[in-house]
């Protein structure tokens, strides 16, 4: 199967209209789908968040989010696969998509501790299985630097 090059326009076969383009990742890294490599992804995430002026607390929260997301997808990964991390840098926000090869039909436990951590710290979290890969996508926004310290 060949993918269209970046200069070819993708079209929807049913309508022959241009297909909506998925946002291009600003940074993409492919690692073996093994727990030992999660620390590499967490460190990369911290570096990207620092470039976006996230606070130290936000960076630590983001490292936790990525670690939990990886734990969820790695538990469903097929043997010998890869862990793909895609990052989209925005204005004081970081979009993260972690994925692994997996079979269709995974029902993630949305009552699990890991899922609760994700939704609490990231807010926008979505899971899907497309083209044989289980994806967890999230967007994490930086806290306001001038927010009041407390009551």
């Amino acid at each position: 199967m060949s993918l269209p090059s970046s200069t070819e326009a993708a079209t929807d076969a049913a309508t022959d209209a241009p297909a909506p383009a998925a946002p291009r990742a600003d940074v993409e890294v492919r690692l073996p789908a093994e727990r030992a490599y999660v620390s590499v992804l967490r460190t990369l995430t911290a570096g990207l968040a620092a470039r976006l002026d996230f606070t130290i607390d936000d960076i630590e929260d983001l490292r936790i989010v990525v670690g939990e997301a990886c734990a969820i997808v790695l538990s469903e990964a097929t043997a010998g696969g890869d862990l793909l991390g895609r990052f989209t840098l925005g204005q004081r926000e970081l979009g993260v998509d972690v994925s692994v090869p997996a079979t269709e039909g995974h029902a993630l436990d949305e009552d699990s501790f890991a899922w609760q951590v994700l939704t609490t710290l990231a807010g926008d979290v979505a899971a899907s299985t497309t083209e044989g890969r289980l994806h967890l996508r999230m967007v994490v926004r930086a806290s306001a630097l001038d927010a009041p310290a407390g009551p």
Side-chain angles (χ1 to χ4, degrees):
M1 175 172 109
S2 89
L3 297 174
S5 72
S6 60
T7 58
E8 296 176 3
T11 59
D12 182 338
T15 64
D16 212 23
R24 185 181 76 75
D26 295 314
V27 176
E28 186 173 296
V29 63
R30 186 177 306 270
L31 302 164
E34 299 173 15
R35 294 190 194 284
Y37 291 95
V38 172
S39 63
V40 174
L41 201 55
R42 287 171 37 112
T43 301
L44 172 62
T45 304
L48 293 173
R51 290 182 54 88
L52 296 174
D53 294 326
F54 277 48
T55 65
I56 291 173
D57 288 340
D58 288 341
I59 291 170
E60 283 307 310
D61 288 350
L62 189 54
R63 287 173 53 89
I64 293 168
V65 164
V66 168
E68 294 297 335
C70 288
I72 291 170
V73 298
L74 286 174
S75 69
E76 304 293 335
T78 57
D82 57 356
L83 172 63
L84 180 62
R86 301 183 76 206
F87 302 88
T88 306
L89 286 64
Q91 188 69 13
R92 300 205 26 89
E93 73 178 24
L94 183 62
V96 181
D97 179 334
V98 294
S99 68
V100 295
T103 57
E104 297 284 332
H106 290 283
L108 299 179
D109 183 4
E110 294 185 5
D111 292 325
S112 71
F113 177 74
W115 188 264
Q116 298 305 314
V117 169
L118 287 179
T119 56
T120 299
L121 296 177
D124 299 335
V125 179
S128 65
T129 304
T130 55
E131 297 181 8
R133 294 190 72 84
L134 173 61
H135 293 263
L136 268 181
R137 295 180 181 94
M138 57 225 95
V139 176
V140 180
R141 290 168 184 80
S143 298
L145 293 174
D146 56 349

